[in-house]
Amino acid sequence: MSKVKLPDSKAGKLAWKGDIPITSRYTAGVAGQKFFQALKEEEKILGTVCNKCEVTYVPMKLFCERCFAQLDETVDVGDTGRLVSFSVVYIDLDSKKVNPPQIVGLIELGNSQARMVHRLGEVKSSDLRVGMKVKAVWEMPLGREGKITDIQYFKPV
Amino acid sequence: MKLRKVAVVGAGITKFVRRAQETAKELSYHATKMALDSCNMPLEEIDSVVHGTAPDAFDGVHMKGEYLSEASGGWRKPFMRSYVGGGTGVFAPINGWYLVASGMYDTCVVVCEEKMSSCQPHPQGAFLTIFDHTTERPLGPNLLWIFALEMNRYMQVHKIPREQIALVSVKNKRNALDHPSAQLGAELTVEDVMNSEIMAWPVTRLMVSPTSDGAAAVVLASEEVAKKITDNPVWISGVGWNLDTAYWTNRDLYYPEYVEKAARMAYKMAGIKNPREEINVVEPYDPFAYKELHHLEGLLLADKGQAPRITAEGITARDGKMPSCPSGGLLGVGNPIAAAGMMKICELFWQLRGEAGKRQVKNSPRTGLAQAWGDLMQVGTVVIMQRGD
Amino acid sequence: MLETGIRLHGTALEEEDFKTHRVFYTTDIPKLQYAWDCGVAMGHYLKGLKQGKLLGTYCKKCKRTVIPPRVFCELCFRNMDKWVELKDTGIVNTFSICYVTWDMKKLIYPEIPAVIEIDGASKGKGILHLLAEVDPKQVKLGMKVKAVWKPKSEREGSILDIKYFKPI
């Protein structure tokens, strides 16, 4: 435990300061392991398919949330997609200005109807249009870690 | 109030491990899927979902219930999360029970999950805030303190030697050798437990349950639905829960009054007049060895200070008159907080149906009781389950 | 059915699997900085500590003096009636000798946390603190102890204004 410090008298009232000293460590999981392996080693974005419910899950999901079947069939959804929505973000988590502003997009991949959120790059915010075609820009192979940031961003094509 | 009969008709569980590769969702899914498959229940026949899980900080997901909803069968269904600290695993089925008993739904799946290994360097980092931030945290407390303080008070008031408490670790860890989920099954002696590292006197390492990842689930159904699903339903005949004040330094820790109140509520509902004769198998909460004894007394299954004696006499052994923790308990199977309490509900289900394999108790039990405990040594949750009609 | 030997889901990893990056994972340190207001009762309690006093509150209906103080009585659910200055002595209700920190690092010198029933409060009403100036083996339930205060100039209105309790 970090030592709790003493009353904050400047604020005119007594308060104790403290923290919760934890680091969260998230495993990619069983389905995630395969997803990130393909991302890192093969520049592929994989999904899992439930044929009964006609749903593709990207990133890969171990099970279909609708019918609860375990999903074994994987599909390469390709690294291009269609911009479904976007935002231009001018502030960070602490409300500080971000310069240049960051562009985030919701991208529908291939023909899958599966959507993922990622950054957009090599594009002026004034040129952004819903429906525009975008493609993944990959981190170079030696820089990849098996994380979602192995894709640097998506850019218009 | 007119309550409907509610049965447990299916159960599922994962392995309990120190660090799981599976995500929290994947663990929840496997337990839920196994519970549904065990009673051939397709997801579309589940009307409602209850999820029990401990502080968000463990998994590091600060909307853990919602995060786990679809992995618990909750996709586009009425979903609720229950939480009373360590008591959650037996509180969640109480929540599920009243959704069905009230007539609101015919079926409910109740799922409990914990992935404590996400919390680094140790899950205690998340526990620290249970202590009062102004009067206690500056002293640098850790979770072991409250258990050690309570155990010492219990021992000294009743003059109980530590060897008798160590016996609980020996029994439960041995029982766990037969549980396929078990993380810490072991064949040990009282000396092994006594000679293991002292963590916070009087607590030694082998008197403490581990931190774990895991999930467990049950399917609940109304009487009408249950009878269509199975010839062998296990009824929830009584439930009880109770909370004491969080001013824990103002209470006498030698006896858990709130557990007694929860137990009396459940016994009354189940029509149980003489628990020591009528409860045939019991799964009291055992995160520390003394807690099983403390809770057997709070549940009125032993006189105050006498739980060590009935343990030494073998009454609580798997082949005894009133087996306690035949599963192996938290000490042996593991302690993924909420999932550990649910593991006890699952164990009663299998025991009462005679489906526990090598763990099966010998007294062909008709009635069982599961209990969990938690928060700042302040909550007792109790479920009584019964075979037959 | 849950027979012994049945194979269940759940894949156990070792720390080594993370160190060697055999499995993919991400980490995050949540920014969790809190400022907890002391409120009415605690604010007054801390002022008392700065002056070297232990304060409790009294409920005339339940005839109870409690410490730590609170503004309401949780038994009869009324406002507490008055402040009471308690002694800085008491008896050990229970104690432990703790050899590890919260993140399981070994302590060279064990700590002795204890619940101390404070003289002047109702029976059984105590606070959490540490014991020192005592051989851990000599600590007993019911032992009389007294607060050891920091020098007045170093007190800051904190539970740590009492360094520890020692036997008398």
Side-chain angles (χ1 to χ4, degrees):
Chain A
M1 173 188 177
S2 66
K3 272 277 182 277
V4 182
K5 286 184 207 111
L6 226 228
D8 182 2
S9 51
K10 266 183 250 161
K13 61 181 178 185
L14 294 173
W16 279 81
K17 289 182 178 168
D19 59 6
I20 304 181
I22 55 176
T23 298
S24 301
R25 182 172 73 185
Y26 309 98
T27 58
V30 171
Q33 185 72 20
K34 289 182 195 156
F35 176 81
F36 288 111
Q37 192 79 39
L39 207 66
K40 182 180 179 215
E41 310 284 344
E42 303 173 60
E43 283 187 17
K44 275 183 185 167
I45 300 174
L46 297 186
T48 43
V49 182
C50 177
N51 289 315
K52 187 175 163 220
C53 301
E54 299 182 333
V55 181
T56 303
Y57 295 95
V58 180
M60 286 173 64
K61 200 171 168 107
L62 182 75
F63 60 94
C64 175
E65 63 191 23
R66 303 184 181 210
C67 71
F68 237 49
Q70 189 159 335
L71 302 179
D72 304 314
E73 189 182 330
T74 57
V75 57
D76 176 358
V77 294
D79 68 350
T80 59
R82 193 177 65 86
L83 197 58
V84 176
S85 185
F86 61 87
S87 175
V88 185
V89 184
Y90 292 92
I91 52 169
D92 69 8
L93 287 175
D94 300 319
S95 296
K96 289 199 202 88
K97 272 246 184 281
V98 187
N99 200 12
Q102 202 176 44
I103 307 172
V104 293
L106 189 61
I107 299 147
E108 192 168 274
L109 289 158
N111 302 316
S112 69
Q113 294 185 339
R115 290 163 182 186
M116 65 189 276
V117 68
H118 215 293
R119 294 179 190 141
L120 297 174
E122 297 182 43
V123 61
K124 277 197 232 131
S125 53
S126 55
D127 292 340
L128 290 165
R129 297 286 177 272
V130 164
M132 81 197 304
K133 276 205 77 169
V134 293
K135 183 174 172 32
V137 175
W138 294 85
E139 178 63 68
M140 59 186 179
L142 293 182
R144 290 187 209 143
E145 303 176 294
K147 292 183 178 169
I148 199 67
T149 46
D150 288 356
I151 298 171
Q152 293 182 3
Y153 50 82
F154 282 77
K155 65 171 186 184
V157 284
Chain B
M1 185 170 54
K2 181 91 181 98
L3 293 169
R4 299 200 298 173
K5 283 180 79 175
V6 180
V8 182
V9 295
I13 196 164
T14 65
K15 273 193 222 166
F16 289 0
V17 297
R18 178 72 183 80
R19 301 164 201 82
Q21 179 172 15
E22 285 79 2
T23 60
K25 283 181 198 254
E26 289 173 344
L27 291 171
S28 268
Y29 168 71
H30 284 307
T32 310
K33 177 76 169 162
M34 181 176 163
L36 291 170
D37 287 353
S38 75
C39 55
N40 298 314
M41 179 86 95
L43 185 61
E44 64 253 31
E45 285 176 28
I46 294 294
D47 298 338
S48 60
V49 178
V50 172
H51 198 284
T53 188
D56 286 354
F58 282 155
D59 288 61
V61 177
H62 293 259
M63 46 165 253
K64 213 164 138 191
E66 302 85 324
Y67 169 73
L68 292 171
S69 62
E70 91 276 358
S72 315
W75 184 72
R76 292 186 183 166
K77 289 186 196 296
F79 175 90
M80 63 186 269
R81 175 182 177 180
S82 345
Y83 176 57
V84 279
T88 301
V90 175
F91 187 58
I94 294 174
N95 287 172
W97 165 83
Y98 70 60
L99 289 179
V100 178
S102 65
M104 202 153 171
Y105 301 110
D106 279 326
T107 52
C108 181
V109 60
V110 185
V111 187
C112 291
E113 180 277 344
E114 220 71 67
K115 189 165 178 187
M116 300 172 79
S117 69
S118 304
C119 195
Q120 298 286 320
H122 195 280
Q124 278 225 34
F127 275 124
L128 291 177
T129 52
I130 71 170
F131 293 97
D132 184 273
H133 42 68
T134 303
T135 58
E136 292 169 356
R137 275 192 76 187
L139 299 167
N142 74 58
L143 197 67
L144 286 165
W145 285 20
I146 58 171
F147 287 100
L149 292 167
E150 188 178 68
M151 173 171 167
N152 194 18
R153 183 76 189 160
Y154 172 64
M155 273 172 46
Q156 306 241 9
V157 166
H158 294 305
K159 313 250 178 306
I160 297 166
R162 278 163 79 226
E163 287 79 359
Q164 290 192 1
I165 291 174
L167 208 52
V168 176
S169 294
V170 174
K171 169 176 72 74
N172 292 5
K173 285 171 186 286
R174 183 185 295 145
N175 285 350
L177 287 169
D178 297 325
H179 198 299
S181 297
Q183 183 178 345
L184 283 184
E187 190 70 59
L188 298 170
T189 63
V190 166
E191 289 68 39
D192 293 333
V193 178
M194 296 293 290
N195 294 336
S196 64
E197 176 196 352
I198 297 179
M199 299 180 81
W201 191 89
V203 174
T204 65
R205 182 170 287 280
L206 290 173
M207 293 179 186
V208 188
S209 60
T211 63
S212 316
D213 296 350
V218 290
V219 180
L220 305 182
S222 64
E223 183 171 17
E224 198 185 6
V225 174
K227 285 186 170 165
K228 284 183 201 150
I229 295 172
T230 176
D231 296 332
N232 208 1
V234 174
W235 304 102
I236 293 181
S237 54
V239 303
W241 72 100
N242 197 283
L243 273 95
D244 208 329
T245 170
Y247 288 106
W248 63 279
T249 59
N250 282 191
R251 292 192 258 126
D252 198 330
L253 301 173
Y254 91 105
Y255 184 73
E257 296 272 357
Y258 47 94
V259 172
E260 180 182 327
K261 285 192 180 307
R264 285 189 185 279
M265 175 177 162
Y267 290 143
K268 190 177 169 201
M269 189 183 294
I272 287 175
K273 302 268 185 318
N274 185 354
R276 290 178 206 182
E277 295 303 319
E278 295 175 63
I279 299 294
N280 313 123
V281 54
V282 58
E283 281 279 345
Y285 203 60
D286 62 323
F288 284 64
Y290 80 97
K291 290 301 301 181
E292 171 166 327
L293 307 168
H294 207 230
H295 291 148
L296 286 172
E297 294 171 20
L299 293 166
L300 309 171
L301 296 173
D303 288 339
K304 288 181 185 176
Q306 294 303 307
R309 182 183 56 78
I310 69 167
T311 304
E313 287 171 358
I315 289 170
T316 60
R318 195 181 271 157
D319 56 1
K321 178 173 169 250
M322 186 184 64
S324 180
C325 290
S327 63
L330 280 54
L331 288 165
V333 185
N335 188 8
I337 311 286
M342 178 55 82
M343 177 275 286
K344 291 178 173 289
I345 299 281
C346 293
E347 183 68 7
L348 288 187
F349 175 71
W350 290 312
Q351 289 286 354
L352 293 169
R353 281 164 58 118
E355 294 180 346
K358 274 170 84 177
R359 297 187 318 288
Q360 187 62 47
V361 300
K362 307 287 183 252
N363 60 354
S364 50
R366 179 178 152 74
T367 307
L369 181 152
Q371 175 254 340
W373 164 97
D375 295 326
L376 205 46
M377 306 191 282
Q378 102 194 75
V379 61
T381 51
V382 173
V383 165
I384 298 172
M385 290 161 61
Q386 207 162 71
R387 150 172 72 85
D389 42 37
Chain C
M1 185 79 68
L2 194 74
E3 303 258 16
T4 308
I6 185 176
R7 207 177 151 271
L8 297 168
H9 285 285
T11 311
L13 299 176
E14 298 296 329
E15 274 309 308
E16 199 63 16
D17 294 321
F18 293 92
K19 279 189 200 130
T20 59
H21 293 271
R22 191 183 73 75
V23 295
F24 296 119
Y25 67 95
T26 53
T27 56
D28 181 49
I29 300 176
K31 291 191 208 169
L32 301 173
Q33 302 283 326
Y34 294 87
W36 290 292
D37 290 343
C38 295
V40 174
M42 263 324 130
H44 206 73
Y45 183 57
L46 296 183
K47 275 183 215 156
L49 287 167
K50 196 168 179 180
Q51 295 163 14
K53 291 180 200 165
L54 278 173
L55 297 174
T57 48
Y58 176 71
C59 170
K60 66 182 178 192
K61 191 168 173 200
C62 299
K63 297 188 170 51
R64 257 185 4 138
T65 303
V66 296
I67 183 171
R70 43 263 200 190
V71 291
F72 64 92
C73 173
E74 71 270 27
L75 303 191
C76 67
F77 225 53
R78 292 167 53 253
N79 290 331
M80 284 289 191
D81 296 291
K82 63 172 185 180
W83 287 96
V84 184
E85 186 179 335
L86 309 176
K87 297 198 173 138
D88 68 350
T89 55
I91 61 165
V92 174
N93 171 285
T94 183
F95 68 96
S96 171
I97 308 163
C98 189
Y99 293 87
V100 291
T101 61
W102 68 269
D103 51 353
M104 297 298 139
K105 294 198 181 82
K106 280 220 194 278
L107 287 168
I108 300 167
Y109 301 104
E111 291 175 317
I112 314 175
V115 175
I116 298 147
E117 294 180 30
I118 300 298
D119 291 335
S122 298
K123 188 175 169 8
K125 307 302 165 209
I127 61 170
L128 177 69
H129 220 294
L130 296 160
L131 302 180
E133 289 189 47
V134 61
D135 176 354
K137 291 194 189 75
Q138 301 303 318
V139 181
K140 298 273 183 298
L141 264 64
M143 179 181 246
K144 280 200 74 76
V145 292
K146 182 173 169 54
V148 175
W149 296 85
K150 279 185 185 166
K152 204 163 185 183
S153 59
E154 290 174 26
R155 285 185 220 147
E156 39 188 14
S158 155
I159 193 66
L160 301 177
D161 291 348
I162 295 173
K163 292 201 281 189
Y164 49 79
F165 283 76
K166 67 169 189 184
I168 45 172

